[in-house]
């Protein structure tokens, strides 16, 4: 026989509380005493009750769902960000709906799906947006926060780090170590992070009366960075230092230089990355890099999105957070 479904009325009867108290106990933002919530949860477990979130969303007109859009989780930096964001939204009683845009960052490919899914807000992880796309989202009235990318559009909230300053430090620091042929290994050329880090890097070199003799694109991916490194170091006059626009590409370059070109890092080539993913600090890598304040970035972005969901007329905010150089063993000692 089909088992009779358990209702909130059954739970209320067993717990000795009102039916509305049962509903409030399953809503993280609702006011209910801890003793009442505990009674409801114990009764729910005993009866095997599960709240019908779909029905509740129809009644409240709230899906309690946040869309998270990214193009890849290959970079550990974004896996870490996603975990932090997931834990935050879960604590607020929200569900996550993942969308993957094409590697090109074509937001149009997922925009219709996001709108149809009736999410309450959208968190964009490293998605490149055009002004037109930002305007479309703004017109639909969906709260959006972009993290680790920028778009020249005032109507969308954005949280990022000081990519330009990080690139500037990397260029100037490598030049100060006595390197003369400092190359750049870029990410996705159309992305704001690539452009800002490259611009800062070139200016850092200029501050030491140097220019960049060679550059390649690794698209922020490991295999692409391996191929780019092979092209850079097959030159008759290969670089003696490399700034990679993220750690994943820097680690790829390190592997290729050590195992295919038999070059010593940092004895013959110095390498600097960007992000400071956990594996950058592993002793086998000891990667000198630029640390992004990932905890602060996620904290600001998620809290900002929740405020915009709660307050429809809240104006967008733009935050650029400071970066920190992390000196390790992939760069030669300073010139004395």
């Amino acid at each position: 026989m089909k088992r009779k479904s358990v209702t909130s009325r059954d739970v209320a009867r067993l717990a000795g509380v009102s039916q509305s108290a049962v509903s409030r106990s399953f809503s993280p933002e609702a006011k209910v005493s801890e003793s009442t919530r505990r009674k409801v949860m114990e009764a729910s477990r005993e009866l095997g009750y599960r709240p019908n979130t779909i029905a509740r969303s129809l009644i409240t007109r709230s899906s309690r769902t946040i869309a998270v859009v990214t193009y890849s989780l290959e970079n550990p930096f974004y896996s870490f960000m996603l975990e932090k964001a997931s834990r935050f939204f879960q604590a607020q009683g929200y569900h996550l709906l993942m969308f993957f845009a094409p590697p090109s960052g074509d937001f149009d490919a997922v925009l219709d799906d996001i709108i149809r899914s009736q999410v309450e807000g959208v968190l964009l992880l490293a998605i490149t947006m055009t002004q037109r796309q930002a305007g479309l989202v703004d017109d639909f009235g969906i709260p959006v926060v972009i993290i680790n990318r920028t778009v020249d559009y005032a109507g969308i909230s954005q949280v990022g780090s000081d990519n330009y300053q990080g690139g500037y430090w990397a260029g100037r620091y490598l030049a100060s170590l006595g390197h003369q042929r400092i190359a750049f290994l870029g990410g996705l050329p159309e992305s704001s992070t690539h452009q800002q880090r490259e611009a800062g890097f070139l200016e850092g070199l200029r501050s030491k009366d140097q220019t960049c003799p060679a550059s390649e694109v690794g698209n922020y991916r490991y295999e692409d960075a391996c191929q780019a490194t092979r092209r850079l170091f097959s030159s008759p006059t290969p670089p003696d230092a490399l700034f990679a626009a993220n750690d994943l590409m820097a680690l790829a370059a390190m592997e290729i230089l050590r195992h295919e070109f038999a070059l010593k890092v940092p004895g013959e080539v110095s390498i600097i990355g960007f992000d400071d993913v956990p594996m950058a600090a592993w002793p086998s890598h000891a990667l000198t890099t630029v640390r992004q304040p990932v905890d602060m970035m996620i904290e600001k972005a998620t809290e900002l999105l929740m405020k915009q969901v709660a307050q429809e007329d809240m104006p967008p905010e733009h935050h650029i957070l400071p970066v920190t150089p992390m000196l390790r063993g992939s760069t030669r000692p300073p010139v004395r």
Side-chain angles (χ1 to χ4, degrees):
M1 293 181 62
K2 184 178 181 181
R3 183 180 175 183
K4 179 186 176 183
S5 60
V6 179
T7 68
S8 60
R9 186 178 289 106
D10 299 324
V11 175
R13 188 180 301 113
L14 180 60
V17 299
S18 66
Q19 194 172 355
S20 64
V22 174
S23 179
R24 292 198 305 276
S25 295
F26 282 97
S27 299
E29 78 285 357
K31 292 183 178 179
V32 61
S33 71
E34 190 56 40
S35 62
T36 297
R37 192 186 299 273
R38 185 168 57 252
K39 289 177 184 177
V40 169
M41 294 305 167
E42 289 175 355
S44 298
R45 282 193 292 271
E46 183 175 336
L47 295 174
Y49 171 72
R50 296 291 183 272
N52 190 333
T53 55
I54 297 176
R56 183 186 300 152
S57 69
L58 293 174
I59 295 170
T60 63
R61 298 185 181 276
S62 169
S63 67
R64 300 200 70 80
T65 303
I66 298 293
V68 177
V69 187
T70 188
Y71 74 93
S72 172
L73 292 178
E74 180 184 3
N75 185 349
F77 184 72
Y78 295 117
S79 302
F80 188 66
M81 274 192 164
L82 179 60
E83 178 186 348
K84 291 277 186 181
S86 298
R87 293 185 185 280
F88 174 85
F89 290 125
Q90 184 176 318
Q92 304 300 311
Y94 277 77
H95 310 286
L96 289 189
L97 194 58
M98 285 292 300
F99 292 90
F100 284 90
S104 62
D106 181 12
F107 188 62
D108 283 339
V110 294
L111 181 57
D112 287 343
D113 289 336
I114 291 172
I115 293 168
R116 282 197 300 267
S117 55
Q118 296 185 319
V119 295
E120 293 189 41
V122 181
L123 184 67
L124 301 180
L125 291 182
I127 292 295
T128 298
M129 251 186 154
T130 64
Q131 286 181 320
R132 180 188 63 80
Q133 292 167 336
L136 279 174
V137 174
D138 193 19
D139 290 343
F140 277 108
I142 305 172
V144 174
V145 176
I146 304 177
I147 189 166
N148 207 36
R149 290 289 190 274
T150 58
V151 58
D152 188 15
Y153 184 83
I156 296 288
S157 290
Q158 304 169 42
V159 178
S161 66
D162 197 338
N163 294 295
Y164 181 90
Q165 187 58 40
Y168 180 88
W169 173 82
R172 185 174 174 84
Y173 184 71
L174 287 171
S176 73
L177 298 180
H179 293 291
Q180 298 297 314
R181 300 183 308 280
I182 307 170
F184 178 63
L185 180 51
L188 292 165
E190 70 277 9
S191 69
S192 58
T193 48
H194 167 99
Q195 294 167 7
Q196 293 161 5
R197 291 169 194 177
E198 182 182 35
F201 167 70
L202 295 176
E203 186 59 34
L205 290 181
R206 279 192 289 270
S207 74
K208 301 293 284 186
D209 296 322
Q210 288 205 36
T211 58
C212 178
S215 64
E216 277 286 350
V217 171
N219 298 312
Y220 290 135
R221 307 189 76 101
Y222 188 90
E223 282 302 325
D224 290 358
C226 287
Q227 296 292 342
T229 302
R230 293 185 183 105
R231 291 192 295 269
L232 278 172
F233 285 84
S234 295
S235 166
T237 54
D240 62 357
L242 180 68
F243 171 48
N246 77 352
D247 286 349
L248 188 66
M249 297 192 299
L251 297 176
M254 189 180 293
E255 292 297 301
I256 294 298
L257 295 182
R258 285 174 171 171
H259 300 291
E260 294 188 17
F261 288 83
L263 292 171
K264 295 177 181 178
V265 177
E268 295 171 280
V269 182
S270 288
I271 300 177
I272 292 180
F274 204 109
D275 284 341
D276 197 29
V277 299
M279 65 182 67
W282 292 359
S284 58
H285 299 140
L287 178 66
T288 293
T289 188
V290 178
R291 171 181 286 177
Q292 295 202 77
V294 60
D295 286 335
M296 193 182 303
M297 291 168 73
I298 282 294
E299 180 180 338
K300 280 196 174 294
T302 51
E303 289 181 355
L304 181 56
L305 186 57
M306 285 292 91
K307 287 179 182 178
Q308 291 182 185
V309 168
Q311 305 172 34
E312 292 185 4
D313 58 347
M314 180 179 170
E317 299 179 8
H318 295 183
H319 297 276
I320 300 297
L321 306 177
V323 295
T324 307
M326 303 299 296
L327 295 176
R328 298 193 181 103
S330 66
T331 45
R332 68 167 62 156
V335 177
R336 297 187 183 278

